[in-house]
Amino acid sequence: MNTRADNPGRPIAAVATLEDELRRGMYEFIRHARRPVTRDEAAAAVGISRKLAAFHLDKLVDTGLLTARFEPVGGIRKVGRTPKVYEAADVDIRINIPPRQHDLLAGILLDAVLTEGVNETARHAALRTARERGHELGAAERERIRPGKLGVERALTHAETVLAQYGFEPSRQSPGCVRLLNCPFHPLAAQSPELVCGINHAFLDGFLAGLHAPAVEATLAPRSGECCVRLHQAAQDS
């Protein structure tokens, strides 16, 4: 389960659901079973009634921890109602406060290694890949909104919306400037600021290019405890 996803609060809800001992017990039983599990089996695993088990299992489904469907037990169809079975969903739940996006950074570095050109250094490959990833994200947002020309205000508004989902915690400092209050790549940025901040800058620069927002630019402006990049009105549009 991705923390930056369409519903960033869902991982928290999933973990909160597991605070209940009965739900946690059934979830662990179903995960370890590695097969579809019926309500009766789940109920027996924690020693409760089938009706109460159904209530808790549906809560686990609602938060995305389990999937459910109707399926004949053992693949054999019998007379009567087909039972509901549950399986552990293929999710990876992580909660970081403030939000982190180490998967994004890892993906950029992995793609850079796999696509590094003959005459390209590892650093250049990483920056190129970061910009390409950012461009894809910006282009997807551009396709979604299908706007006319993006001025400073509209471009920054769309940037705030998208980058908030990636944990940047954008904050409008003025009509033409957005600071990013959180570095999604921390603490790795602290270990290698030149490389990681460069990747971050390339990613955000590519995002603005994909968004087709020439009125806004991303520049390196390190500030303690924040992202090293800020978005602001481009010089030619000042």
Side-chain angles (χ1 to χ4, degrees):
M1 183 177 294
N2 198 315
T3 57
R4 73 105 194 144
D6 33 2
N7 187 356
R10 201 174 186 194
I12 297 176
V15 172
T17 301
L18 291 174
E19 184 179 7
D20 184 278
E21 186 176 350
L22 292 174
R23 291 175 195 159
R24 188 167 63 253
M26 285 189 289
Y27 177 67
E28 291 174 353
F29 172 74
I30 293 170
R31 273 186 54 82
H32 294 159
R34 303 289 181 177
R35 60 172 176 79
V37 171
T38 65
R39 287 177 178 173
D40 289 332
E41 289 176 307
V46 295
I48 59 176
S49 69
R50 183 179 185 278
K51 184 176 181 180
L52 182 57
F55 169 78
H56 288 302
L57 288 168
D58 287 343
K59 288 289 185 182
L60 293 169
V61 171
D62 289 342
T63 54
L65 289 166
L66 297 180
T67 61
R69 65 183 183 276
F70 291 96
E71 178 181 283
V73 178
I76 302 174
R77 188 170 184 83
K78 299 180 180 179
V79 176
R81 186 176 179 181
T82 304
K84 195 172 189 178
V85 296
Y86 300 84
E87 285 187 286
D90 183 15
V91 293
D92 182 13
I93 302 171
R94 281 176 251 176
I95 297 176
N96 293 292
I97 302 175
R100 304 300 183 204
Q101 289 291 335
H102 296 151
D103 282 355
L104 175 59
L105 181 59
I108 288 171
L109 294 174
L110 179 61
D111 283 352
V113 170
L114 294 175
T115 63
E116 184 179 334
V118 175
N119 298 317
E120 194 175 31
T121 67
R123 176 181 171 81
H124 288 157
L127 296 179
R128 169 184 54 76
T129 304
R131 194 175 194 284
E132 291 170 354
R133 283 287 191 95
H135 193 281
E136 291 172 3
L137 182 64
E141 176 67 5
R142 176 79 182 190
E143 178 67 20
R144 186 186 70 81
I145 58 179
R146 294 182 176 274
K149 182 180 179 180
L150 279 180
V152 175
E153 172 64 28
R154 292 188 68 196
L156 287 176
T157 296
H158 287 295
E160 287 177 294
T161 299
V162 175
L163 297 180
Q165 298 174 13
Y166 279 76
F168 282 96
E169 296 185 354
S171 173
R172 187 73 66 98
Q173 303 292 295
S174 70
C177 178
V178 168
R179 292 288 317 192
L180 305 173
L181 303 183
N182 180 52
C183 173
F185 301 149
H186 186 80
L188 298 177
Q191 296 178 25
S192 181
E194 184 178 356
L195 174 61
V196 179
C197 290
I199 289 174
N200 199 0
H201 184 208
F203 175 79
L204 293 169
D205 187 59
F207 169 75
L208 293 175
L211 188 61
H212 194 56
V216 176
E217 62 182 346
T219 58
L220 284 169
R223 184 183 290 182
S224 179
E226 298 182 8
C227 176
C228 57
V229 180
R230 69 185 177 103
L231 310 181
H232 60 91
Q233 185 173 359
Q236 64 268 27
D237 285 84
S238 301

